[in-house]
Amino acid sequence: MRDIYLDYNATTPIAPAVQEAMLPFLDEHFGNPSSGHALGRAQANVQGPMVRMRAMCGSGPQPATTDAEGRFEISGLQRMQGVPVVATHRDWGSSRPRTGRAGGEELTLELTEPLKVKGKVVDPAGAPIEGVRVTVERAETAGDNRMGMNMETAFSARPTITDAEGRFLVPNAPAGEMVVTFDHPEYIEAEEKAHLRAGVAEHVMETVTLKRGATIAGVIVDEEDKPVANANVNVNAGRIQVYDGAPESPARESAPGRTWGNARSDKEGRFAIHGLAQATFAVEASRDGMFHEPLEVAAGKTDVRVRMRAAGQIRGRVVDDRGQPVAGAQVHAWIERTSGNTTSRDHVGWSRTGADGRFALRSIPTDRDVRVSIDHDSYMDFELEGVRAAEHEQPFTLRTGARVSGIVVDKDGAPVAGANVHVQVEQVASVSKDGETTTHTNSRSVETAADGTFEAGGLGEGRIVVSAAESQLGVIVK
């Protein structure tokens, strides 16, 4: 009689494929990869299965994991699209970022010796601060995080959190020039530079002191002054967009502290956002089916009262000039306010069209006109004034526009792959239809293919200017 093993909760047999993959590690590659001797270093080249490859961009492709041979594949890229890629591993320092391209050469990424970074974070009175997020990133990529890159993927070492004594330990930082960032919701973010030398296993930083930032706090209520719970509240100095030559944002670049923050209102409608710069902020509360008037407050104000009211929606269908649905178009709604000689624009909704070209913008005010803008790389950018919230579906038509193609070569006439090409329409075409104003504006940024060619579509009428830039070569556009 054959025995049937049922105690899998205690242990399980090894799958044949796993056993085969592990045999080299039990025989030839048995060295400790964390050690400095030759056998251990040789082992480093076969630790691929635990390495994660990440595209360092906010909405880029999904990360990939290397196989037993250290190989990986990142899918979902456009032809010759360049993506900065970095390899991370819990026991090693991250690799330097390299640019990979769909259809390009195979990348080789080298993990580095893991270094420890430790220290302590306190407040101005010397008391330890618990819960500070400490990140170590390469100096050459630190600025990219401020430009919208995915924060998690650009880090050169796994972030850590300070304990009750304010102490932290980053176990796997790479060598080189680093920027160490200290972030806590109630304090002003701080940065310290650190030079981590290879061969020095542990780096101890001087004690870091964080200062408290300004606070914006208040309550969210409805038209009957009843609290609105679970509303998303955002404050953003950069959202105060002022035209006619006035500064785009009143926040001073030198002012310490965050220029943005977010919170969720509690069951009593209350919220609080800390660690802010001394600046003027736009306060935006959002909840489906509700809207509030734009509100600007100075940091430090703790009695903000945001009154929300019932809102409508804009439902629509986007088609091209042949009547075919346009999928994947970004649809935005804006309202404009005029005070004296200045006009500000407030964003009140965003959606993306489905396969049938349909979209819905919710939380739209019902008592005023809204400007709707629609953007798609294959069509001319579209803006329509005078749109109102309504129950019925409204039609929107995108124009195909002109297309520009060419080739980018270097000074010797050789094609340049992966060059950034920017196409700008200098003159804007405005069309009036049925008493409504439709405005088309366009610029496009594309990358050259392996043979140096490029193509940009959806361009408007007017003089078109084409420029190209590539970091290592002087280029010529033809």
Side-chain angles (χ1 to χ4, degrees), residues 369-372 384-388 436:
D369 292 341
V370 174
R371 178 189 292 266
V372 173
L384 181 63
E385 298 178 349
V387 183
R388 288 273 185 150
E436 297 177 338

Side-chain angles (χ1 to χ4, degrees), residues 113-116 196-203:
E113 175 187 5
L115 306 177
K116 294 181 180 179
L196 307 185
R197 297 190 302 275
V200 180
E202 186 173 277
H203 295 254

